[in-house]
Amino acid sequence: ALAEERHQGWHWAYYNFCDGDIRTTCPLTKSLLNTSHVNEDGLVIAVHFRSLISIQQHLTNKAKTNQCFILMDAFLLSVSPAIGVVAGMGAPILFDGLLTQIVYHIDAIFNAFHRDALSFILPYCSRYDKRSWWSSQAILVFRSLCLYGHVIQFNGVHITAQKHREYPRNGDPWQIDRDMNLVPRSLTSLQTYMKSERIVSALILRHYGGWSLAATSDECRHRHTSVNPVNCTVSGGKIRQKS
């Protein structure tokens, strides 16, 4: 992804990773394009979405993008979560009409990572790949505690179908050795409390100010932003808070 960014010459705001065999639906698109049908939380996203749709209308048909992905981009650029995910990945929508909710245990089907959050969660750890590929995502989930409260599920896009190919998934993916320093000491009690729960809370979007490095603790920034590529041990890095 970093090589592709350099090749394009862009400064990406988000790095989006998703399975190539998913299908999505986004019934919210019509209402967001109609001002009279948008509630207060929807207005947070609607302006960006309409602007992106307008740009698409000036492109050739060959270059046009699926509206679900445009809507997801509008959500990311408007809301600025540390990690953005979509509905249909295991975390149920808490109630009808809820646009966003804070989640924790996220599936790898579709993840959008804020560029400033990459050091807290990537690279993926291959230490347990022979046993189960799911363990690499479990490790990412544990590391995401440094971003707790800023992993947001956007219910405007739903995954409706996915084909599973064969890959290793034996045993309990959450059974991970404790020698990797995945979770800051100050957050181990939160890790125990959350375990593998998916839901944290409903989110009133218009009251949310977005994620930035300033929202992370000194402990996370100074001791949890570098990963040994061989054994996946987490340590300190050189990340700096932007002024």
Side-chain angles (χ1 to χ4, degrees), residues 4-5 14 38 44 68 110 143 153 162 216 218 221:
E4 181 63 22
E5 180 188 41
Y14 282 87
V38 180
V44 176
C68 289
F110 190 110
R143 293 194 65 202
Q153 176 174 301
Q162 182 194 23
T216 59
D218 289 342
R221 288 199 301 271

Side-chain angles (χ1 to χ4, degrees), residues 11-164:
H11 186 79
W12 293 356
Y14 282 87
Y15 292 77
N16 299 348
F17 297 88
C18 70
D19 291 355
D21 51 5
I22 61 172
R23 293 184 180 181
T24 59
T25 184
C26 43
L28 191 64
T29 55
K30 291 183 179 180
S31 62
L32 287 179
L33 293 173
N34 187 331
T35 307
S36 62
H37 293 165
V38 180
N39 62 23
E40 290 178 300
D41 270 10
L43 288 173
V44 176
I45 299 169
V47 174
H48 266 124
F49 180 58
R50 292 168 190 164
S51 296
L52 293 175
I53 289 294
S54 178
I55 292 171
Q56 283 288 302
Q57 291 173 346
H58 291 85
L59 298 176
T60 64
N61 289 332
K62 190 175 182 180
K64 287 186 177 179
T65 304
N66 183 301
Q67 283 197 352
C68 289
F69 293 110
I70 297 175
L71 180 57
M72 186 63 185
D73 283 345
F75 159 71
L76 295 172
L77 295 173
S78 304
V79 177
S80 191
I83 302 175
V85 300
V86 299
M89 303 198 322
I93 298 175
L94 292 176
F95 53 84
D96 291 343
L98 179 64
L99 194 59
T100 53
Q101 57 196 63
I102 301 171
V103 293
Y104 170 60
H105 169 196
I106 56 173
D107 197 291
I109 299 174
F110 190 110
N111 297 165
F113 302 129
H114 192 293
R115 70 173 299 113
D116 290 338
L118 296 179
S119 297
F120 298 104
I121 45 181
L122 295 181
Y124 281 104
C125 175
S126 60
R127 181 167 170 171
Y128 301 96
D129 278 2
K130 290 184 179 180
R131 183 190 74 186
S132 176
W133 285 8
W134 290 352
S135 289
S136 62
Q137 187 69 10
I139 289 171
L140 183 146
V141 168
F142 286 148
R143 293 194 65 202
S144 75
L145 281 169
C146 278
L147 310 171
Y148 188 79
H150 297 278
V151 182
I152 300 177
Q153 176 174 301
F154 178 44
N155 296 330
V157 177
H158 299 246
I159 292 176
T160 57
Q162 182 194 23
K163 295 180 180 179
H164 279 296

Side-chain angles (χ1 to χ4, degrees), residues 211-232:
W211 177 84
S212 69
L213 284 176
T216 59
S217 67
D218 289 342
E219 183 181 19
C220 284
R221 288 199 301 271
H222 298 161
R223 301 177 186 175
H224 288 267
T225 55
S226 181
V227 179
N228 183 306
V230 177
N231 60 23
C232 301

Side-chain angles (χ1 to χ4, degrees), residues 187-237:
L187 297 177
T188 53
S189 58
L190 179 59
Q191 178 190 23
T192 302
Y193 171 73
M194 289 304 299
K195 296 182 180 178
S196 59
E197 292 294 326
R198 294 184 181 272
I199 301 294
V200 177
S201 172
L203 176 65
I204 305 302
L205 197 56
R206 57 191 180 277
H207 296 168
Y208 178 70
W211 177 84
S212 69
L213 284 176
T216 59
S217 67
D218 289 342
E219 183 181 19
C220 284
R221 288 199 301 271
H222 298 161
R223 301 177 186 175
H224 288 267
T225 55
S226 181
V227 179
N228 183 306
V230 177
N231 60 23
C232 301
T233 300
V234 178
S235 60

